[in-house]
Amino acid sequence: MKNKLKIERAILDITQDELAKKIGVSRQTINSIETNRYVPSTILALKISKVCNKAVNDIFILDDND
Amino acid sequence: MNLKSIIECEAKGFEKLNKYQLPNHYKKIGIAILIISFISIFINGFSLNQPEVKIISKFGILIGLLIISISKELLEDELVIKLRMQSYTFAFIAAVGYSLMLPFINYLFDITFQSANATLKEIGDFTILWMLLIVQVLYFEVLKKAHK
């Protein structure tokens, strides 16, 4: 699964740490999601989409391997 | 109480048990117990030679590692939970593999260097538990570093 979290974060102009604090996770978790090393749970994906004010499908995109 | 409610009750119990962890500051207590136990096992090995001290030190090592293992991180989020589960899985497989292989490795070693006394011996509970806990604790740290 690919994601546009880094782009969305750049649009919001917030750091990984600020986003992490907003959704109650560590900065490492945000970094791992952005570098595609970790696929977040539905709850976390929904929290991210709420902060970014976008639908989950607009941030997280299924690729051919999924 | 019907069967469905018994199953639900059991499931809730297991869920509580799975979530049970010690607060983060217990990690320091675990490390302290581990260090004290290591020091006492070395002192006992070189000078005292008391079997009771050896047994208590071994218990101390296992208790220290267990406390470290079940202590929460400062921020226990879903990535940490996933990494913790991965480390438990890896430690379980490593400990089983180790306990299966070690008697044969010891036997081969004995044949090579002490052929007269070579026997196939079982390994003790402490060795398996020590291996399980130390692999879990170290592998969890490695996984956390890899996700920094």
Side-chain angles (χ1 to χ4, degrees), chain A residues 25-26 28-29 31-32 37-38 40-41 44, chain B residues 75 77-80 82 144-148:
Chain A
V25 295
S26 64
Q28 285 80 5
T29 303
N31 186 43
S32 294
R37 284 181 296 162
Y38 176 61
S41 69
L44 189 53
Chain B
L75 185 57
D77 63 5
E78 58 176 58
L79 176 64
V80 171
K82 190 194 166 196
K144 278 194 301 179
K145 282 225 169 81
H147 281 266
K148 267 191 177 171

Side-chain angles (χ1 to χ4, degrees), chain B residues 5-25:
Chain B
S5 59
I6 292 170
I7 293 168
E8 275 174 10
C9 189
E10 275 191 349
K12 275 181 188 169
F14 281 128
E15 215 165 276
K16 272 185 189 171
L17 199 70
N18 282 339
K19 283 179 182 171
Y20 184 74
Q21 279 181 304
L22 295 169
N24 178 257
H25 64 266

